[in-house]
Amino acid sequence: MFEHLAEYPGDPILSLIKTYQDDTRPEKVNLGVGVYLDAQGRLPVLQAVAAAEQQLRKAAPAPSMYLPMAGHDAYRLNAQRLQFGDQSQALAEGRIATIQTLGGSGALRTGADFLRQWFPDSGVWVSDPTWDNHLALFAGSGFTVGTYPYCRPASAELAFEAMLGTLSTLPRHSIVLLHPCCHNPTGLDLTNAQWLAVIQVLAEHELIAFVDCAYQGFGEGLEADVFAIREMERAGLSFLVSYSFSKNFSLYGERVGTLSVVCSSAPLATKALGQLQATVRRHYSSPPQHGALLVDLVLGSELADLWRTEVDAMRTRIAAMRELLAQALVEAGLPLGERIRRHRGLFSYTHLTRAQVLRLRQDHGIYLVDNGRLCLAGLTEEKLAYVSAAIADVIR
Ligand code: LMR
């Protein structure tokens, strides 16, 4: 019956987790998957999350009823306030439809299905390069996915003018996937002035921005990292935001995210919410409860301050590792060091060739994604000299 099935070659990022785990070399270093590890190279349990877990455990076991299709109500409100801000006019006017989703990927896929149904003639445009799964998720919903220039292969610099030029040529209602901070995979972010220029083009050409926010707090700070989202709202755009709490709550396994559709009126937001619920019902009916309860307990209480401090500490550690690696590579005479220094967030696009990435993996047990993406959050001071020497070895 199933003999015609094709082999699944595996995912370029997630398959690396298992390959890394199976590697028995003690010197191995995981700079592949986009996960924050602490200074000892461990996946942290945030103190704010641990306190919320304790509160849940102390309470009498609650019956486990289905959550509504849109998810946990208070969680959705707290997530909206974090993303759009307390001062958001769209929030005050009830113009944002938000559902709880299965992490950021679940938000992207639900948003893609929603758009495919209501904008069937639109195409989707993602940055070149982008997170591999963006292509798969939108293609999976039936879209044709094109790219806009983002990073110049030769110089590894941001191709901003070319990006803006391409966006200006897109047909009305084209869907444009944007990373508000910590661009995945390059680590090259737009300045605030560049964002304002992009927003002007989106408005003039009536493009649908789909903002994928998976790393709030890991770039410049919790507020600074959502500049693009806040400005799009202020500019009166109708747009979508997919959001993941996986990284900034270190809750990867709980699959906690949101999808928001910012509309021009409250009645339209009600309709959008209804359509999102219909999409959810067709896929998985309603989301799971535990992760959303934890995030809600933190964001809705004084634990939020502790959490903000912990996010700041994670960002500071990533930036410190970035600087140390940059310094070591510059000292080794490699221009890659200067480039890494200019990036933000978890990632740097090294422009190492696939052959060099494979040599790093095979000869040194250092795991990068095949496309040359390196995750700084997997680096520790203990491994720094080893990693920089290995990178120098494969480049020379
Ligand atoms: C990553 O980019 O490494 C993470 O977002 C994990 C994933 O799902 O690919």
Side-chain angles (χ1 to χ4, degrees):
M1 186 63 83
F2 299 122
E3 271 154 16
H4 59 296
L5 260 56
E7 293 276 350
Y8 175 49
D11 181 80
I13 298 175
L14 293 187
S15 300
L16 275 186
I17 298 177
K18 173 92 173 74
T19 321
Y20 175 80
Q21 280 167 354
D22 291 347
D23 189 332
T24 52
R25 290 173 284 182
E27 68 275 20
K28 68 182 178 178
V29 191
N30 191 356
L31 308 179
V33 64
V35 161
Y36 174 87
L37 303 179
D38 67 14
Q40 282 71 45
R42 295 170 312 206
L43 193 65
V45 177
L46 300 192
Q47 288 174 41
V49 172
E53 281 280 15
Q54 251 174 7
Q55 280 182 32
L56 284 181
R57 248 180 263 133
K58 270 195 219 140
S64 185
M65 184 47 182
Y66 291 123
L67 280 188
M69 289 174 282
H72 187 285
D73 286 337
Y75 162 86
R76 295 195 289 129
L77 285 176
N78 278 316
Q80 284 181 325
R81 287 175 47 211
L82 180 68
Q83 295 164 37
F84 296 94
D86 289 329
Q87 308 304 319
S88 159
Q89 209 177 329
L91 262 190
E93 293 170 5
R95 290 193 281 111
I96 308 182
T98 299
I99 60 162
Q100 180 187 331
T101 57
L102 303 182
S105 298
L108 283 158
R109 182 56 195 254
T110 306
D113 284 352
F114 164 79
L115 288 170
R116 183 73 185 149
Q117 186 175 1
W118 299 100
F119 296 88
D121 300 325
S122 294
V124 173
W125 299 82
V126 300
S127 61
D128 179 19
T130 194
W131 183 48
D132 283 310
N133 211 27
H134 281 147
L135 302 159
L137 282 161
F138 283 99
S141 292
F143 279 112
T144 301
V145 185
T147 58
Y148 57 83
Y150 193 79
C151 174
R152 278 202 193 88
S155 63
E157 299 295 338
L158 190 71
F160 183 67
E161 292 307 324
M163 169 186 178
L164 216 55
T166 300
L167 295 187
S168 311
T169 64
L170 299 184
R172 181 173 171 261
H173 291 174
S174 294
I175 296 152
V176 182
L177 198 286
L178 294 157
H179 308 218
C181 61
C182 310
H183 184 270
N184 182 359
T186 65
L188 287 166
D189 282 343
L190 301 190
T191 62
N192 288 355
Q194 287 170 329
W195 273 119
L196 295 179
V198 167
I199 290 170
Q200 204 175 335
V201 169
L202 294 170
E204 269 171 24
H205 295 265
E206 294 182 61
L207 305 177
I208 304 173
F210 197 145
V211 184
D212 184 19
C213 189
Y215 300 99
Q216 187 184 3
F218 283 5
E220 299 285 349
L222 279 164
E223 297 299 305
D225 288 352
V226 287
F227 175 83
I229 294 175
R230 306 267 171 98
E231 287 301 320
M232 282 181 199
E233 195 244 278
R234 259 196 281 277
L237 299 190
S238 296
F239 64 106
L240 283 81
V241 180
S242 52
Y243 190 92
S244 170
F245 284 112
S246 298
K247 337 276 170 174
N248 58 15
F249 267 76
S250 194
L251 279 175
Y252 304 87
E254 296 293 344
R255 312 309 295 133
V256 258
T258 57
L259 171 69
S260 296
V261 184
V262 182
C263 302
S264 56
S265 72
L268 283 183
T270 306
K271 275 193 184 172
L273 187 64
Q275 289 305 327
L276 296 181
Q277 287 169 309
T279 310
V280 164
R281 180 63 169 148
R282 287 196 292 268
H283 284 290
Y284 54 86
S285 281
S286 63
Q289 180 159 260
H290 189 70
L293 283 179
L294 292 175
V295 171
D296 180 55
L297 274 176
V298 172
L299 291 182
S301 73
E302 70 287 351
L303 287 175
D305 290 337
L306 173 59
W307 172 71
R308 284 174 184 273
T309 319
E310 293 186 278
V311 173
D312 288 346
M314 289 193 278
R315 181 181 63 256
T316 306
R317 191 188 101 68
I318 300 167
M321 285 301 112
R322 179 180 291 291
E323 179 51 30
L324 286 175
L325 181 62
Q327 243 172 44
L329 295 177
V330 167
E331 277 162 23
L334 300 176
L336 174 61
E338 276 306 336
R339 290 211 302 272
I340 285 183
R341 188 171 269 149
R342 289 199 293 275
H343 298 157
R344 286 291 169 277
L346 254 65
F347 305 120
S348 266
Y349 207 40
T350 59
H351 291 263
L352 291 185
T353 63
R354 186 156 187 274
Q356 289 169 327
V357 169
L358 292 183
R359 268 190 62 203
L360 267 182
R361 204 175 296 162
Q362 276 150 16
D363 298 354
H364 304 280
I366 297 172
Y367 285 72
L368 270 64
V369 180
D370 283 4
N371 65 6
R373 188 191 80 177
L374 179 151
C375 176
L376 275 305
L379 190 59
T380 59
E381 281 196 47
E382 196 198 332
K383 303 276 188 181
L384 180 74
Y386 178 67
V387 168
S388 49
I391 293 176
D393 175 49
V394 301
I395 287 182
R396 291 217 179 91

